[in-house]
Amino acid sequence: MKTSKILSVAVLAFSMFVGTASFAQKTKMVGGAEMYPDKNIVENAMNSKDHTTLVAAVKAAGLVETLQGAGPFTVFAPTNAAFNKLPKGTVDTLLKPENKKMLQDVLKYHVVAGKWSAADVARAIKAGNGNAEVKTVQGGKLWLMMEGKNVVIKDEKGGMATVTIADVNQSNGVIHVIDTVLMHK
């Protein structure tokens, strides 16, 4: 009798541990794939069928190692559909080796130093009376604001992107999926 009670307590304790561990490591689905909080930005993005253009661009720009680094980074990650909104031929032009610096600048414009959760973004917007200005790794600025319940991002050329999936946590930061490519001056 005593052995079965000990076994029951051990099973219960193990179940609680596993349940807690899986709760702490919550995944999100992006592009048909689970995004794991213990993988880095590049490892997760490579599994998203909605981010194949972004991954190809990161590789062509030579930024894989950077985005696999310790960070933390906040990446506003445009989908393939976002890249398809650009004028015809833009992506092909950016992917050419002679345009590597230009491509790096476009991609770095989508990255902010630090880990900015959706709650952090909302607090910054509230503190800024409806508008938060952030500096990108590229050196430019983005303006974050609310449009209804959605976070929208204004770029330096006046373009607007909407966050479609927030808080995709990574081992080295967070990704917020966006519907439009952001452009710097």
Side-chain angles (χ1 to χ4, degrees), residues 145-167:
M145 58 203 82
M146 298 299 296
E147 195 171 275
K149 291 185 178 187
N150 297 319
V151 172
V152 293
I153 306 163
K154 183 177 176 183
D155 65 25
E156 291 176 335
K157 291 197 172 185
M160 302 290 280
T162 301
V163 174
T164 58
I165 303 173
D167 288 340

Side-chain angles (χ1 to χ4, degrees), residues 58-130:
V58 167
K59 288 178 180 178
L63 294 174
V64 171
E65 281 187 37
T66 301
L67 290 175
Q68 287 180 327
F73 305 107
T74 297
V75 177
F76 297 105
T79 61
N80 295 341
F83 280 100
N84 289 339
K85 289 181 182 179
L86 293 172
K88 187 176 179 158
T90 301
V91 173
D92 292 334
T93 299
L94 285 170
L95 292 175
K96 291 180 180 178
E98 61 267 24
N99 295 325
K100 185 175 180 177
K101 171 75 169 97
M102 187 185 322
L103 179 59
Q104 286 175 340
D105 284 347
V106 169
L107 294 174
K108 288 178 182 179
Y109 189 64
H110 289 79
V111 181
V112 176
K115 184 175 181 180
W116 288 67
S117 69
D120 295 330
V121 169
R123 275 191 292 279
I125 292 170
K126 187 175 180 179
N129 294 315

